[in-house]
Amino acid sequence: ETLRSVADGAIVINGSERLDIKDSILLLSDDQKRYIFGLRDYAIEKSGDKASFAKYHLTVGKGAKQVIKLSVKDGKVMAYFRIEDERLRAIRRNARENDAEIKIKETEIEIDGESAYEMAKDLIDLRKTQIDENIAYQKQQRREKRKALRDAKKIADNENGDT
């Protein structure tokens, strides 16, 4: 009966109810709540981003700058990360420039104990480093593009001045 009162308004899929993230968190054990809120707070501290709730998950960071996505799946805390190294990122960028798209699956970890909790923290650190490197790469690309435009303008101005 208590489960039913928490689940009011939940979506029914194949005869079973899927609780939204807030209701799912209410049903977690104290350890699981410590894991989900601990990871959320750690990601906020490391990234400076805000946490935001969607229907079935909560995230820290948005879009390509998402640090972590947390959800509850079958009563277990799950953490999802978009992990990619520099080589994979270069391939993905090259594909995008050539009008192709590569979708990269998220790395999924079940947070079922202290070791998984600590590993998820390490992945948050890794993800933050990747985001920072990507931002630096994009800034460098913009700088190079502006420099190329300035150089092209100087050449054009010099050619016009010589005639």
Side-chain angles (χ1 to χ4, degrees):
E1 187 63 42
T2 57
L3 177 64
R4 191 77 191 134
S5 64
V6 171
D8 286 345
I11 306 294
V12 176
I13 302 171
N14 295 331
S16 64
E17 293 180 352
R18 179 164 182 195
L19 302 176
D20 67 23
I21 184 67
K22 291 179 182 177
D23 290 340
S24 297
I25 290 172
L26 291 174
L27 298 176
L28 293 175
S29 71
D30 289 344
D31 275 348
Q32 290 172 318
K33 286 178 185 173
R34 184 174 62 82
Y35 294 148
I36 198 165
F37 292 129
L39 289 173
R40 178 202 61 188
D41 294 344
Y42 186 78
I44 289 170
E45 174 190 327
K46 288 292 180 178
S47 69
D49 289 329
K50 296 179 184 174
S52 59
F53 283 88
K55 181 106 176 134
Y56 299 113
H57 62 268
L58 73 94
T59 59
V60 176
K62 292 197 184 310
K65 297 177 186 169
Q66 178 179 299
V67 178
I68 188 171
K69 178 167 76 173
L70 295 160
S71 71
V72 178
K73 187 175 180 183
D74 299 326
K76 299 173 187 136
V77 176
M78 303 299 293
Y80 302 90
F81 301 90
R82 294 176 63 191
I83 302 294
E84 57 185 1
D85 67 0
E86 199 53 45
R87 289 174 294 198
L88 183 58
R89 187 177 296 124
I91 291 169
R92 189 172 52 82
R93 282 190 197 118
N94 187 36
R96 190 181 321 133
E97 289 168 5
N98 293 313
D99 294 327
E101 186 176 348
I102 298 174
K103 293 209 177 213
I104 299 165
K105 297 280 186 189
E106 296 172 320
T107 301
E108 176 181 316
I109 300 176
E110 180 182 330
I111 311 300
D112 56 358
E114 285 300 319
S115 61
Y117 178 68
E118 293 302 322
M119 186 183 304
K121 283 182 165 184
D122 291 343
L123 286 171
I124 289 170
D125 294 338
L126 173 63
R127 185 66 186 127
K128 179 61 179 136
T129 301
Q130 289 177 338
I131 290 168
D132 292 343
E133 288 171 355
N134 196 29
I135 290 170
Y137 173 81
Q138 289 172 346
K139 284 181 181 177
Q140 163 112 22
Q141 292 296 100
R142 286 192 296 269
R143 256 193 314 270
E144 289 174 7
K145 189 175 182 181
R146 284 192 304 268
K147 184 179 184 315
L149 289 172
R150 276 194 311 270
D151 291 347
K153 187 176 181 336
K154 281 182 185 176
I155 291 169
D157 288 347
N158 288 340
E159 287 176 359
N160 290 340
D162 291 342
T163 50

